[in-house]
């Protein structure tokens, strides 16, 4: 459920009519709903009511906007970060260092140092090599890094290949078959307090079975590690829960996920960490765009909008589907190809899509754009970076300025010897 709905013929974000935002801020622009973010944060937390000891760490990469992070911080959320840049955002949003978890296969030495200095709660180590380096850095700094070892459980998450992370040939984590031996080695290193294990098998999961399979394997590993004399107090179950992108699409609910987790983990006796991203932010945002013109096609017309693949990359990257609807639907519809202005055929949001009838100048939205939207934006075709707005009831604020092409050009220089 979200707070984007047609009222009196006009789509609103909560109580703000979208044309007002287009008027004042211009298009394209991402529009987020605070009430929707809060609702999703609450629903996910309540789904885990039966898990006594837990940390919910929002996956910052899904939507790193400072105001979005602030909303979630006020809901008691921590952060799962994959770079020092994201760590700084989480800290700036007021998240406590101990509620920050640092994931990622390529943390640099400088990032390890910065995260140790900040005193973050947990490093999810993704390789033996990283663990050895982290231990060395921590010893030099006279600190101890709290860690889990990320396990690659070799399960097929059944999602798009580019966002599947738990198969044996993916780059993430250590193979589950070697986990006991690597854990033993790293647990003996001074400088790290290796106190648990972690998994994250992929994103936009439409089925709980692969998660259940991965968590079951993890439970067996925890028992084996304890059997070998290790103390296990923390287990990180990652993120990955999918969201409906199409009207009427059925996906496992947070409640079903929570029940499964509570059932599998009830005897583990650990603190559980969760890293939801998409399920919190996805349906809390839309990309608002204006139709530049409608061009005749061989078969269907091309609705050319002022948003493009540089603003919303998911369709070009993953062939992803986003609902596309008029802000002021007339009731008539059309079958059209929805495209952006960028000079690539990949800049196509949909082909042969049945949608509301649109003409030049009309406003429309791509729905479910609150996660992996603005955060993936680029300035390709010198289009500048898209603006972001947060709505709260009947008020709204620009929470990220549009960075226009000329500001980006200001960061470039022609060397003297070329002039
Ligand atoms: C991307 C990512 C997440 C969040 O995934 P969602 O599908 O958005 O919930 C969580 N943990 C890690 C390690 C990730 O890389």
């Amino acid at each position: 459920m979200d707070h984007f709905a047609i009222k009196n013929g006009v789509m609103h974000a909560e109580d703000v009519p979208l044309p007002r935002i287009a008027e004042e801020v211009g298009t394209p622009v991402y529009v987020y709903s605070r009430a929707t973010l809060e609702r999703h944060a609450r629903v996910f937390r309540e789904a885990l009511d039966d898990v006594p000891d837990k940390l919910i760490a929002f996956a910052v990469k899904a939507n790193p906007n400072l105001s979005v992070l602030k909303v979630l911080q006020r809901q008691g959320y921590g952060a799962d970060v994959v770079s020092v840049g994201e760590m700084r955002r989480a800290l700036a949003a007021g998240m406590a260092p101990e509620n920050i978890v640092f994931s990622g296969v390529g943390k640099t030495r400088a990032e390890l140092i910065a995260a140790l200095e900040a005193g973050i709660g947990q490093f999810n180590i993704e390789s033996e090599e990283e663990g050895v380096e982290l231990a060395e850095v921590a010893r030099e700094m006279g600190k101890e890094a709290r860690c889990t070892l990320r396990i690659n459980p070799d399960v097929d998450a059944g999602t798009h290949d580019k966002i599947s992370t738990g198969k044996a040939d993916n780059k993430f984590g250590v193979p589950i078959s070697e986990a006991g031996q690597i854990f033993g080695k790293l647990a003996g290193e001074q400088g790290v307090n290796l106190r648990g294990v972690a998994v994250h098998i992929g994103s936009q999961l439409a089925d709980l079975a692969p998660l259940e399979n991965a968590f079951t394997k993890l439970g067996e590993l925890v028992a084996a590690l304890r059997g070998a004399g290790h103390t296990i107090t923390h287990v990180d179950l990652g993120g990955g829960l999918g969201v409906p992108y199409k009207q009427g699409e059925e996906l496992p609910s947070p409640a079903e996920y929570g029940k499964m987790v509570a059932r599998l983990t009830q005897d583990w006796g650990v603190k559980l960490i969760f890293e939801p991203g998409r399920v919190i932010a996805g349906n809390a945002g839309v990309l608002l765009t204006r139709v530049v013109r409608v061009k005749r096609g061989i078969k269907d017309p091309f609705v050319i909008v002022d948003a493009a693949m540089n603003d919303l990359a998911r369709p070009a990257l993953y062939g992803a589907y986003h609902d596309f609807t008029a802000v002021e639907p007339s009731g008539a519809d059309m079958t059209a190809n929805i495209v952006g202005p960028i000079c690539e055929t990949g800049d196509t949001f949909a082909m042969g899509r049945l949608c509301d009838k649109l003409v030049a100048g009309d406003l429309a939205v791509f729905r479910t754009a609150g996660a992996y939207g603005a955060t993936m934006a680029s300035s390709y075709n010198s289009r500048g970076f898209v603006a972001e707005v947060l709505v709260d009831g009947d008020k709204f604020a620009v929470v990220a300025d549009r960075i226009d092409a000329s500001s980006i050009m200001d960061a470039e220089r022609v060397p003297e010897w070329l002039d």
Side-chain angles (χ1 to χ4, degrees):
M1 213 219 86
D2 60 50
H3 292 264
F4 297 94
I6 306 271
K7 297 182 208 170
N8 304 321
V10 182
M11 187 179 291
H12 285 59
E14 303 188 21
D15 298 325
V16 178
L18 291 183
R20 212 172 99 206
I21 294 175
E23 195 72 23
E24 288 183 34
V25 187
T27 54
V29 57
Y30 279 92
V31 181
Y32 308 128
S33 151
R34 176 180 182 176
T36 312
L37 282 167
E38 288 177 342
R39 180 175 190 281
H40 293 174
R42 200 171 54 242
V43 165
F44 192 85
R45 187 179 51 239
E46 286 171 3
L48 296 168
D49 271 350
D50 290 339
V51 173
D53 193 10
K54 60 184 172 281
L55 166 68
I56 308 178
F58 176 66
V60 172
K61 77 176 194 280
N63 190 326
N65 182 279
L66 269 185
S67 297
V68 169
L69 297 183
K70 188 72 201 173
V71 169
L72 297 172
Q73 181 265 340
R74 292 172 66 132
Q75 289 291 313
Y77 276 50
D80 169 50
V81 304
V82 293
S83 70
V84 156
E86 287 189 351
M87 180 189 81
R88 302 244 182 270
R89 284 175 174 275
L91 292 170
M95 284 159 172
E98 59 268 27
N99 291 343
I100 297 178
V101 176
F102 196 170
S103 304
V105 294
K107 307 177 196 79
T108 64
R109 197 176 190 88
E111 286 184 311
L112 296 176
I113 291 170
L116 279 165
E117 265 167 4
I120 65 157
Q122 179 172 300
F123 292 82
N124 289 346
I125 301 175
E126 301 235 8
S127 62
E128 180 175 339
E129 295 84 347
E130 180 191 340
V132 169
E133 184 167 359
L134 175 59
E136 184 186 303
V137 171
R139 282 197 303 272
E140 281 168 14
M141 295 172 70
K143 293 190 187 277
E144 189 172 65
R146 293 174 290 257
C147 303
T148 68
L149 182 63
R150 179 163 173 185
I151 309 300
N152 184 322
D154 193 19
V155 300
D156 185 347
T159 186
H160 192 283
D161 272 348
K162 288 185 187 167
I163 50 173
S164 180
T165 57
K167 280 191 276 194
D169 56 358
N170 294 148
K171 67 180 175 180
F172 299 99
V174 303
I176 191 156
S177 55
E178 298 172 25
Q181 178 235 326
I182 294 173
F183 196 101
K185 168 138 203 290
L186 293 178
E189 289 272 350
Q190 263 196 354
V192 295
N193 168 13
L194 188 58
R195 58 188 193 179
V197 288
V199 282
H200 171 71
I201 62 169
S203 197
Q204 185 53 17
L205 307 188
D207 183 1
L208 291 180
L211 285 168
E212 178 157 0
N213 186 1
F215 299 165
T216 303
K217 288 185 176 194
L218 208 60
E220 289 162 7
L221 178 63
V222 167
L225 291 170
R226 284 179 170 152
H230 299 295
T231 304
I232 305 294
T233 55
H234 291 70
V235 175
D236 186 328
L237 297 181
L241 210 53
V243 299
Y245 280 90
K246 286 182 188 161
Q247 298 280 345
E249 200 176 348
E250 286 289 333
L251 280 135
S253 66
E256 291 167 297
Y257 170 84
K259 262 201 208 98
M260 180 269 285
V261 167
R263 169 168 54 80
L264 287 185
T265 63
Q266 57 183 342
D267 300 326
W268 290 10
V270 295
K271 175 168 185 165
L272 289 180
I273 296 103
F274 299 90
E275 304 171 345
R278 191 186 310 267
V279 74
I280 305 297
N283 281 312
V286 299
L287 174 57
L288 177 60
T289 185
R290 196 179 286 282
V291 177
V292 177
R293 67 177 59 83
V294 179
K295 172 184 166 172
R296 255 192 337 273
I298 291 287
K299 185 160 172 267
D300 301 319
F302 290 94
V303 171
I304 305 167
V305 296
D306 66 0
M309 64 188 281
N310 72 302
D311 306 306
L312 177 63
R314 298 187 66 260
L317 263 184
Y318 318 127
Y321 180 103
H322 284 268
D323 261 345
F324 178 73
T325 59
V327 166
E328 297 178 68
S330 65
D333 55 25
M334 71 194 295
T335 299
N337 308 315
I338 319 298
V339 300
I342 280 184
C343 293
E344 281 212 26
T345 301
D347 187 23
T348 297
F349 294 107
M351 292 295 286
R353 174 80 66 88
L354 179 65
C355 64
D356 296 323
K357 184 155 179 63
L358 290 162
V359 299
D362 283 351
L363 291 169
V365 294
F366 293 101
R367 301 190 67 128
T368 317
Y372 306 102
T375 180
M376 285 191 179
S378 77
S379 67
Y380 188 37
N381 276 212
S382 291
R383 284 174 43 85
F385 282 95
V386 61
E388 296 165 84
V389 159
L390 181 68
V391 171
D392 180 3
D394 60 2
K395 61 179 187 285
F396 73 88
V398 175
V399 291
D401 287 339
R402 191 179 307 284
I403 302 177
D404 61 27
S406 63
S407 309
I408 296 171
M409 194 165 67
D410 286 346
E412 297 178 23
R413 256 162 294 289
V414 175
E416 238 170 65
W417 43 261
L418 195 59
D419 219 352

